[in-house]
Amino acid sequence: MGYKIIGYAWYVEMFIGLYLCVPFLNIVVEKVFNSGNKKLIYGLFVILIFMTSLPPLVNRGEFRIVPNYWQMCFPVLLYFTGAYIRNFQPVIKHKIWAVLAIGLVYLQYPLLNYLKISLIEEGNLPNVFGPYYALPGYIAMTLLFVSLYKVDIKTEIIRKAVTDVSLVSYEMFLFSYLYDRLIYPWAMERFYTNQNSFIVWFVPITLTVLLTSYIMALIYRKISGLLESKNNN
């Protein structure tokens, strides 16, 4: 079974496999995290990081610390990271350093794009910190999650907006592929002259994709809810 129609749905297959592994992964969580042995807990993460998120950062050419295909086990590292956060409820004491680390990792992407466009004219610049699943990206996404997962949003409008979006984020992601395929070619055909001039359209295009994906996700949820209710009756 494959998901070829929606280009962004590759991770659905990944989640199916991960779901099948969850009972066995939970045995590891129970035995390791509940053991109280910090060396065993941190040893598990050292091994997983060494196998999955460190290779894309340091593997170059023929040099390999471990074979590249072990990088595909990165979701397992994320699963154990989530289990660790749930079990031990870590808190970031120095949030300013966390914000700086997150910004340093994620701001490289627009910065490199700007340099590529402005200085070397469509040339290629490698990401300094590697792809999102490399070690810096893993650290940044973990810090971001730990910083936000206990945030208490007091403003009702913002809380409702965040809740509504989070409830349909999966559907939004899938629908965004459709609107990317529709909106970007349309905008390129009408407004593209060169990369420098087209970059100003990034924000309106992105907001349009998000908004249309959100609307379609709500419609899909409504229709699927009605069909489910009809079938139950």
Side-chain angles (χ1 to χ4, degrees):
M1 180 174 62
Y3 294 84
K4 304 299 184 184
I5 297 177
I6 302 176
Y8 297 164
W10 61 266
Y11 76 105
V12 175
E13 297 172 308
M14 180 273 293
F15 272 120
I16 292 172
L18 187 62
Y19 180 80
L20 295 174
C21 293
V22 161
F24 306 100
L25 297 177
N26 284 344
I27 293 174
V28 179
V29 169
E30 182 180 352
K31 297 297 183 182
V32 174
F33 291 174
N34 294 336
S35 68
N37 188 336
K38 291 185 177 181
K39 291 183 179 179
L40 186 61
I41 296 171
Y42 297 139
L44 173 66
F45 281 100
V46 168
I47 292 172
L48 287 173
I49 288 171
F50 185 79
M51 293 171 59
T52 62
S53 66
L54 194 59
L57 186 65
V58 301
N59 284 3
R60 293 293 182 271
E62 296 300 318
F63 174 76
R64 301 281 190 275
I65 59 170
V66 291
N68 279 338
Y69 54 77
W70 284 107
Q71 297 174 33
M72 292 185 290
C73 293
F74 182 69
V76 176
L77 171 62
L78 291 184
Y79 186 85
F80 283 129
T81 302
Y84 179 90
I85 293 171
R86 180 176 182 179
N87 277 30
F88 298 102
Q89 303 287 303
V91 176
I92 297 176
K93 295 181 180 179
H94 304 290
K95 290 191 176 182
I96 184 64
W97 292 110
V99 171
L100 289 174
I102 295 167
L104 183 64
V105 172
Y106 289 126
L107 287 178
Q108 69 157 325
Y109 300 105
L111 178 60
L112 286 177
N113 284 334
Y114 173 78
L115 293 175
K116 182 173 68 173
I117 294 168
S118 301
L119 301 181
I120 61 177
E121 297 181 355
E122 307 298 330
N124 186 31
L125 283 175
N127 292 328
V128 178
F129 297 116
Y132 70 90
Y133 53 86
L135 182 60
Y138 165 69
I139 293 173
M141 68 176 72
T142 303
L143 289 174
L144 182 63
F145 183 81
V146 174
S147 299
L148 296 177
Y149 82 117
K150 281 190 174 182
V151 170
D152 182 18
I153 303 176
K154 300 185 182 300
T155 305
E156 185 62 29
I157 296 177
I158 297 177
R159 178 186 300 176
K160 188 177 187 306
V162 171
T163 301
D164 288 347
V165 170
S166 65
L167 289 175
V168 295
S169 58
Y170 171 72
E171 290 87 349
M172 284 180 63
F173 185 75
L174 297 181
F175 277 117
S176 69
Y177 177 76
L178 170 64
Y179 290 107
D180 279 346
R181 301 286 291 181
L182 291 173
I183 294 173
Y184 275 99
W186 180 86
M188 290 282 289
E189 183 179 346
R190 286 162 176 77
F191 307 115
Y192 184 87
T193 54
N194 57 63
Q195 193 70 10
N196 282 319
S197 63
F198 190 70
I199 199 170
V200 299
W201 291 95
F202 170 76
V203 173
I205 290 175
T206 302
L207 291 177
T208 302
V209 170
L210 288 174
L211 180 60
T212 51
S213 300
Y214 174 68
I215 293 171
M216 285 303 301
L218 291 179
I219 294 173
Y220 169 80
R221 277 292 185 98
K222 185 69 174 178
I223 294 174
S224 62
L226 291 174
L227 292 176
E228 184 178 353
S229 176
K230 183 178 180 181
N231 290 334
N232 290 337
N233 293 332

